[in-house]
Amino acid sequence: MDNDKLNKLIDTWIAFQKLDESGKNENHPDWWAVFELMDLVQDNPEEGYKVILAILDRDQSTEIMEILSAGALEDLLSEHGEDFIERIEYEAKDNSDFSNLLGGVWQNSMSDELYARVQKVWDRRGWDGN
């Protein structure tokens, strides 16, 4: 994905997530960004992972962290976690924002072993009253 397309996806995805709840639906003209990130995570996880990191780099607000964590990142780990866990562990050790993002991930369909590895590197401060 070229930089222009990546920036447009990130900007649009963030703007959509910051909409009032009544405006968030698949009929909104910016819904494409939500769908595209979901599609990338599912079908092109390498690109999906890059977009997740880029969104996190751009916006660490609570609102975005909650949606990104329990959405795209959790889906990536549930679908492709075995392929990404070493990079996830490495990123979490070097990037405190990413470690905190992992704190909002639920087990979903991850194996117990994979989820335990996620838990070892996450930072739960700020999640669920911690």
Side-chain angles (χ1 to χ4, degrees), residues 15-87:
F16 182 86
Q17 300 307 336
K18 292 190 175 199
L19 289 172
D20 181 88
E21 285 302 316
S22 65
K24 286 185 184 178
N25 62 60
E26 57 193 40
N27 295 320
H28 191 280
D30 290 340
W31 171 254
W32 70 267
V34 175
F35 183 77
E36 184 162 338
L37 181 54
M38 289 187 304
D39 191 44
L40 285 172
V41 165
Q42 182 74 23
D43 299 330
N44 190 347
E46 293 291 337
E47 285 295 312
Y49 182 60
K50 290 177 190 174
V51 173
I52 290 167
L53 291 175
I55 290 170
L56 177 63
D57 187 51
R58 181 98 36 103
D59 190 327
Q60 301 87 40
S61 66
T62 300
E63 179 179 26
I64 294 302
M65 297 277 283
E66 288 173 350
I67 296 165
L68 191 59
S69 178
L73 182 56
E74 185 174 309
D75 291 347
L76 178 80
L77 287 164
S78 293
E79 295 291 322
H80 308 284
E82 296 297 333
D83 296 330
F84 281 86
I85 190 59
E86 288 181 11
R87 282 185 275 176

Side-chain angles (χ1 to χ4, degrees), residues 49 56 65 69 73 77 81 84-105 110 112-125 127:
Y49 182 60
L56 177 63
M65 297 277 283
S69 178
L73 182 56
L77 287 164
F84 281 86
I85 190 59
E86 288 181 11
R87 282 185 275 176
I88 296 289
E89 291 167 329
Y90 180 80
E91 186 70 30
K93 289 177 184 171
D94 284 351
N95 182 341
S96 61
D97 289 331
F98 187 76
S99 178
N100 189 245
L101 185 68
L102 285 170
V105 169
M110 283 178 256
D112 290 341
E113 297 82 28
L114 178 63
Y115 193 58
R117 288 177 73 177
V118 170
Q119 289 175 306
K120 284 182 182 176
V121 296
W122 73 9
D123 175 0
R124 292 276 301 150
R125 287 178 290 180
W127 294 100

